[in-house]
Amino acid sequence: MAALFPLDSSSPAIPPTFNFSPAALNQAATLPACFLWPVSECPRPEHARFAEDDEVPTVDLAGFWQGDDEGIGIAVEKIQKACTGLGVFQIINHGVDLDVLKRVHNEASRLFNLPLDQKQRGARVSGDSFGFTNSFIGRYASNLPWKETLSLQITPSSNVETYLQKIYGDEDNHACSTFKKYGSDMEKLALELMELLALSLELPRDRLKKIFKKNFSILRANYFPPSKHNSQTLGIGPHTDPISLTILHQDNVPGLQIHKEDTWITVKPNVNAFVINIGDIFQVLSNDRYKSMEHRVVNSLHERKSFAYFFSPTFEALVVPLPEFVDLENPCRYKEFTWAQYLTFTQKHYRSDTNTLLAFQDYLALNDPPE
Ligand SMILES: C=C1C[C@]23C[C@H]1CC[C@H]2[C@]1(C)CCC[C@@](C)(C(=O)O)[C@H]1[C@@H]3C(=O)O
Ligand SMILES: O=C(O)CCC(=O)C(=O)O
Ligand SMILES: [Fe+2]
């Protein structure tokens, strides 16, 4: 089993009070060791190649919204090809108002531009998955990601007000309504995508939508500051998302890279598109028909923002391969678990990487019942 990583409770290389000041760190000739990734994981110039359309297909949803069978058929076929490939595709004509996207990006810029001590009023509490984090200082001791994030719960109940109130106090602003509107648009879109994914797996159209009607979702705003040492830092290390589906919106600065065979390819930014990727829970439900996408984020000399909407079943729902995907030729590949157990595993026992699901299955085998 993969080694469990040193958690918050272990002594971090630098204390939690250390100020992640990218601007000051960029002036230094070298970075503190905790920001340096192993050479084998560091970005290289050849990883800058943009993905081709057959690697990250663009799916037009216009026909889906119009109920046009031919358009739906083309979209479903593309989605099936993408999900049996690298586990990722982009959608255009996605139905989300461009003004909402503009507003949410502006709110994120306003937030990440605040003084650090103000952002830290909404700091993530150890072991929890919400709030503001700067470079995970105090959470991890090494391979720190060159990023700041704000994570908010959208469903079943929202904590958007709680965290924004901590950061902004009573200052009147539109941050809450903007993040909440974006979150609810994401939930609607995720449920519609479940219809297309179901069709792509030859399931009844509402099969997955019913499973996810009640769901648990996290909205994460990511801010990747400029990095002068970008050949040695990473915005996010190699990982799969432990959730079922991620809907990502990135600004126009390249950064998202997908693992393909023994190399990395970059997703060409398109502000009119969302990047959709399969996560571990979807992999389990489909009994490996669709695999979660391995990806990472590289830094550059330019600042970059992205929004990741992480969509999952409810905390208590049992996650297990759907019976439609289990037979004599395809035995059930996973031990059942709940999303609550898997989330706890990623927050308390294991630092998410590309092996999280297998490490968790090993953990389940050794810890019955799990924590
Ligand atoms: C359940 C979650 C854990 C992470 C946030 C959500 C979904 C993705 C996970 C994460 C982004 C995967 C990469 C590593 C991680 C530590 C990060 O860099 O943010 C992961 C998140 C987390 O554990 O907070
Ligand atoms: O910023 C991106 O492009 C991807 C972010 C990501 O992978 C994540 O938040 O899990
Ligand atoms: Fe991710």
Side-chain angles (χ1 to χ4, degrees), residues 43-62:
R44 292 199 300 270
E46 62 267 32
H47 301 151
R49 167 173 91 76
F50 285 131
E52 303 286 344
D53 196 65
D54 62 344
E55 295 169 319
V56 183
T58 299
V59 180
D60 188 341
L61 294 192

Side-chain angles (χ1 to χ4, degrees), residues 293-353:
M293 171 184 83
E294 291 187 16
H295 57 291
R296 70 177 186 184
V297 176
V298 297
N299 301 118
S300 75
L301 294 175
H302 304 282
E303 65 174 14
R304 175 174 183 272
K305 267 184 289 102
S306 71
F307 281 88
Y309 175 80
F310 299 119
F311 192 59
S312 292
T314 54
F315 255 13
E316 53 288 335
L318 274 188
V319 179
V320 66
L322 298 179
E324 290 91 330
F325 302 124
V326 179
D327 57 31
L328 278 178
E329 272 170 44
N330 302 286
C332 178
R333 293 178 193 273
Y334 297 97
K335 275 171 103 48
E336 67 177 28
F337 58 90
T338 63
W339 164 233
Q341 289 163 348
Y342 197 26
L343 181 62
T344 302
F345 184 69
T346 69
Q347 302 305 296
K348 293 202 178 152
H349 304 296
Y350 190 86
R351 179 173 181 171
S352 288
D353 60 13

